[in-house]
Amino acid sequence: MTEALASPYWRLDDTGRPLSFWQLLRRFPAAGRPVVEVIWQAAPRSAAVIAVLQVASGVTGAFGLLATTGVLEELLTAGPTAQRVLAAVPSLLLVIFAYSARAAMDAGVALATARVVPGVRRVAEERLFDASLHAELIAFDDDRFYDRMHRARDRGLFYLEQATSNVVALLGAVFAVVGAAGIIGVLHPVLLPVLLVSLLPEGWAVFRSARLGYEGMTRLVTLNRRLRMISDLATEREPAAEIRACQAEPFVLGEYRQVADVLRDHEVSVGLAQARTGIAGRACAGVATALTFVALGLLLYAGWIPLAVAGTAVIAIRTSSLALGQLVRACNELFEQSLYVSDYQSFLRAAGERRRSAGAVAGPPNRITLHDVGFRYPGAAVDAVRDVSLTLHKGQIIALVGENGSGKTTLAKVIAGLYRPSSGQVCWDDRDVAELDVADQVVVVLQDPVRWPHDARTNVRVGRHRRVDPGDAALRSAADSARATEVVEGLPRGWETLLSKYFRDGHELSGGQWQRLAVARGLFRDAPLVIWDEPTAPLDAKAEYAVYESLRQLAGSRTVVLITHRLASVRNADQIYLLHEGSLVERGTHDELLAAGGRYAQLYGLQVEMYTGATT
C-alpha cells in the first residue's frame, strides 16, 4: 500500500535523506535567506526596526545581568541588612531600568512584526501570481511546472508566513544567548565552559529533533498534498454531482483511508522518535545542570569567583537556557518550513525561465502564414501537429475540422501565438510571431470558458477590461449578438448579479448560459484574429444560429478560425482544413472536399446519416 502512494505523480523533486549536524548548520542560511529577502522587500522599515530593537534588547538584557552583580555584591557584603539594602538601591534601579527597557523593546518588536507578517504574505502572493500569470502557456502543459506551482501556492505561501515569525523569534533568541554569554565572559572567563556544558544537551536534543523532522518532511509533504486533493473531491461543489451519480462515495472514502493511515503512521513514527530524543535531552540537561552547580561550587570553594558573580552566573545560565530553547525551537520549525519555502523559491525560478518574452507590438494582420509548423507537448512521444503549411487571409472564415485528438485546438493556439511552434515558423505579414507581441490582436473563445466569479457585466468586460465603453454600448451590442442579453435579463439583479454560488446572493448559470456570456466576451474584445473553438457546443439551436450570424458579420474585416465537429456549420467557410493525427491531409471548400470523396466527405456523410437517417 505504501509503495502505491509513491508513484511519480505524487513524488516531490527532492527526497529526504540523513543529514549530519554540520550539514544542518550549513543549510540554515539557505533556509532563512529567502525569508529575510521577502521580509526586507515587504516592509524594510519595520524589518530594520525589528533588527535594531532585537540587538538593543540583547544589549539591555546583558546590562541587566551586569547590574544584577552589583545588587548581589551590595546585599552579600557585611553590615546591617537595612544598610545593605539601601546600598543596593542604585544597582537595583539599574536592573529595573534595564529589564523595563527590554520589555518595551520586545513590545516594539511585536508591533513591528504585526506589520511585517501581513506584508510578507502580500508580497509573496503577488510574486507567485505574477510568475504564474506571465509564464508561457506551454508551461501549464508541463506536469513538473504545474506541480511546482501548486506546491508553492498551497504550502509555500502559508509556511513562508510562518517562517517570518520564526526568523523574528530566532533573531531575538540569538542576541539573548550572545548577550548572556558575553556577560558571563566579562564576569570570569572560566564561566564560559560552565555555560557551554549546561547548554549542550538541550541544543543537541533540539537539533536532533529538527533533523528527524527534516528527514521525514518530504514524505509528509507528499502525503498531505494527496490528502488535500482527496479533501477537495469530498467537499467541493463541482465533483459532488458526479460522485453521487457514480455512487463513488465509498471509493473516495477508501482513497482517504489509504492515504490517511499512511500519513498517521508516518507522523506517529517521527513524533515518537522526536519524543525519545526530547526525553534523552532533558535527562542529559538535568545531569548537566547538576554538574554546572557542582562546578560553580568548586569555583567558589577555590576562591576563583566571588559569591555575587556566582549568583549572577546562575541567573545568566538560566536566561541562556530559556533563550536557547527558543532559539532551537525556532531553528527546528524554520528547517521544516524551509522545505515548503524552497518549493516557493523553486517555482519562482522555474516561472522566471518560462516567462513570456515581450516582442514588438503587432498590428492587425492581413495575412498569417504557417511554414512546416510542428508542435510537441512537454513529455510527449510524438508531435501533436506535424509539418503544417497554410495561409490565412484577412476577411476569410477558416474552418479546422477533424476527429478528436487530430490537433485542431493545438494548431489554433499556435496560429494565435499562444504556443510557439517546436519546428517551422508562423508569420504575421512576413514577420515571425516569435518576435512579436500579438496578444492584443487575438480573440479566443473556448468550449469550456472561464466562469469568472464576478458580476455578469464583468464577465463580458473582462474580454478587454480597459476598453472605454460609454453607456455600455459595445457591451450590450456584443450581448445581443451572442443572445446573452436574455440570459442577463433573467438574472435577479441583471448585469449586477454575482455569478458564483460560493458567495452570498450568488447565482449559477447553465453551461449554455455561461457559453453565451463567453461568446459575448469574445465579441466585446473585438480583435482582428478571432478563434472559436467549439463555441456553440452547449448552445441551443437558436443561440447557435445567432452566433454563426455574428461570425459571418465579423469575417468582413477580420480573420476567423472556426474549430468544430459539426461539419454542417462550416459549409460556408472560405477554406476548410482537415487534420488527421496532427497532419493536414485535406483542404478546400465544402463542395470541393465533398467532390474529392476523401475523409471529410466520409465524416460529413456520417453526420448527415445520424441526423436524417439517410445516406448522402
Side-chain angles (χ1 to χ4, degrees):
M1 180 184 294
T2 302
E3 289 74 14
L5 299 179
S7 62
Y9 179 77
W10 302 108
R11 188 179 300 136
L12 298 184
D13 294 339
D14 302 313
T15 56
R17 52 188 180 278
L19 296 173
S20 69
F21 173 79
W22 298 112
Q23 286 175 319
L24 277 174
L25 286 182
R26 285 197 298 270
R27 284 189 173 216
F28 180 74
R33 188 181 302 114
V35 182
V36 173
E37 289 175 354
V38 177
I39 290 173
W40 188 254
Q41 182 183 0
R45 293 178 60 182
S46 295
V49 168
I50 289 172
V52 170
L53 289 180
Q54 293 286 40
V55 172
S57 178
V59 171
T60 53
F63 179 76
L65 286 174
L66 191 61
T68 300
T69 305
V71 173
L72 293 177
E73 286 177 346
E74 296 294 343
L75 292 176
L76 295 175
T77 57
T81 300
Q83 186 176 353
R84 282 180 288 163
V85 170
L86 289 174
V89 167
S91 297
L92 184 60
L93 291 175
L94 288 176
V95 172
I96 293 173
F97 170 77
Y99 284 104
S100 297
R102 184 176 183 180
M105 292 172 189
D106 291 343
V109 169
L111 293 172
T113 303
R115 292 180 176 273
V116 168
V117 174
V120 165
R121 181 177 63 248
R122 166 69 176 77
V123 168
E125 283 181 341
E126 182 172 352
R127 279 186 176 183
L128 184 138
F129 297 154
D130 178 76
S132 61
L133 287 169
H134 289 92
E136 57 185 351
L137 181 61
I138 189 61
F140 287 80
D141 294 297
D142 184 338
D143 57 347
R144 291 174 64 85
F145 177 89
Y146 199 73
D147 182 64
R148 283 178 175 177
M149 179 176 61
H150 280 266
R151 279 168 23 208
R153 185 198 69 181
D154 296 341
R155 296 286 182 173
L157 289 175
F158 173 78
Y159 283 102
L160 183 60
E161 187 177 342
Q162 301 298 308
T164 300
S165 299
N166 278 322
V167 166
V168 174
L170 182 68
L171 189 64
V174 166
F175 287 115
V177 171
V178 170
I183 288 301
I184 286 180
V186 169
L187 293 175
H188 202 292
V190 77
L191 292 175
L192 281 175
V194 175
L195 175 65
L196 183 63
V197 168
S198 69
L199 298 182
L200 272 178
E202 188 172 357
W204 167 84
V206 179
F207 271 103
R208 176 168 171 76
S209 179
R211 186 176 71 176
L212 291 170
Y214 188 94
E215 291 167 2
M217 189 53 57
T218 297
R219 191 155 180 255
L220 188 64
V221 171
T222 304
L223 294 170
N224 272 318
R225 288 185 61 243
R226 186 165 185 180
L227 197 64
R228 173 73 175 272
M229 293 178 181
I230 296 171
S231 171
D232 289 344
L233 287 174
T235 60
E236 293 296 333
R237 181 174 182 271
E238 284 75 10
E242 186 168 345
I243 287 174
R244 284 153 180 77
C246 295
Q247 296 180 302
E249 298 94 333
F251 174 79
V252 175
L253 282 174
E255 287 281 291
Y256 165 77
R257 293 183 184 115
Q258 183 185 25
V259 180
D261 287 347
V262 177
L263 176 61
R264 177 201 59 203
D265 294 343
H266 177 71
E267 289 180 325
V268 168
S269 175
V270 173
L272 289 175
Q274 290 178 323
R276 286 191 291 267
T277 299
I279 292 170
R282 283 191 292 273
C284 292
V287 173
T289 300
L291 293 175
T292 298
F293 285 109
V294 170
L296 285 174
L298 292 175
L299 291 172
L300 282 170
Y301 181 78
W304 286 13
I305 59 174
L307 184 59
V309 170
T312 302
V314 171
I315 298 173
I317 289 171
R318 180 60 180 164
T319 300
S320 301
S321 179
L322 293 173
L324 182 68
Q326 183 183 13
L327 172 65
V328 292
R329 280 192 297 272
C331 287
N332 185 7
E333 294 178 4
L334 191 58
F335 277 130
E336 294 179 359
Q337 291 157 356
S338 69
L339 273 177
Y340 300 101
V341 176
S342 67
D343 282 342
Y344 174 82
Q345 294 295 113
S346 175
F347 168 69
L348 292 185
R349 287 192 297 271
E353 295 168 359
R354 311 289 292 266
R355 197 174 181 91
R356 290 174 295 173
S357 57
V361 177
N366 293 308
R367 184 180 67 259
I368 301 175
T369 308
L370 280 66
H371 302 282
D372 298 320
V373 165
F375 181 83
R376 179 176 296 189
Y377 286 98
V382 298
D383 289 347
V385 172
R386 291 190 299 275
D387 302 323
V388 172
S389 297
L390 55 85
T391 301
L392 294 73
H393 293 279
K394 178 180 177 180
Q396 286 186 329
I397 295 180
I398 304 297
L400 300 180
V401 300
E403 300 170 64
N404 289 332
S406 60
K408 304 183 297 298
T409 298
T410 300
L411 181 60
K413 290 178 180 178
V414 172
I415 293 171
L418 296 175
Y419 286 157
R420 291 188 177 182
S422 305
S423 59
Q425 190 180 44
V426 179
C427 294
W428 282 32
D429 294 332
D430 300 324
R431 295 192 63 184
D432 193 336
V433 168
E435 303 172 355
L436 300 173
D437 180 2
V438 301
D440 197 53
Q441 308 298 326
V442 181
V443 171
V444 179
V445 179
L446 301 174
Q447 182 177 355
D448 296 310
V450 174
R451 300 182 176 188
W452 294 90
H454 219 295
D455 58 52
R457 174 178 281 100
T458 301
N459 264 271
V460 175
R461 284 196 55 85
V462 75
R464 194 176 293 276
H465 61 279
R466 291 193 178 95
R467 180 176 179 179
V468 178
D469 183 24
D472 286 341
L475 178 141
R476 296 183 186 278
S477 174
D480 289 342
S481 298
R483 291 197 65 216
T485 301
E486 58 193 68
V487 174
V488 175
E489 289 174 348
L491 297 175
R493 297 181 60 196
W495 286 103
E496 310 303 323
T497 303
L498 175 64
L499 302 181
S500 174
K501 292 296 287 185
Y502 287 105
F503 301 97
R504 184 178 179 181
D505 297 329
H507 190 84
E508 185 58 271
L509 302 180
S510 68
Q513 290 173 324
W514 277 114
Q515 191 68 24
R516 293 192 201 184
L517 285 181
V519 171
R521 184 160 61 239
L523 295 173
F524 181 80
R525 181 164 174 76
D526 191 28
L529 174 60
V530 182
I531 295 176
W532 301 76
D533 189 354
E534 293 286 357
T536 62
L539 299 182
D540 56 56
K542 290 176 65 177
E544 182 177 14
Y545 176 80
V547 168
Y548 282 116
E549 281 298 308
S550 298
L551 277 177
R552 279 188 280 274
Q553 295 171 12
L554 285 173
S557 57
R558 297 168 179 80
T559 304
V560 177
V561 178
L562 175 63
I563 304 169
T564 183
H565 289 103
R566 300 183 185 182
L567 301 186
S569 302
V570 301
R571 296 180 62 174
N572 296 320
D574 297 289
Q575 281 288 304
I576 300 171
Y577 295 95
L578 187 140
L579 286 92
H580 179 66
E581 296 180 351
S583 297
L584 181 57
V585 295
E586 295 181 18
R587 68 179 73 194
T589 65
H590 174 75
D591 292 337
E592 290 170 348
L593 292 175
L594 284 184
R599 185 176 294 274
Y600 178 87
Q602 180 185 10
L603 293 175
Y604 184 77
L606 289 173
Q607 288 193 7
V608 170
E609 182 178 357
M610 181 177 65
Y611 284 109
T612 66
T615 58
T616 57

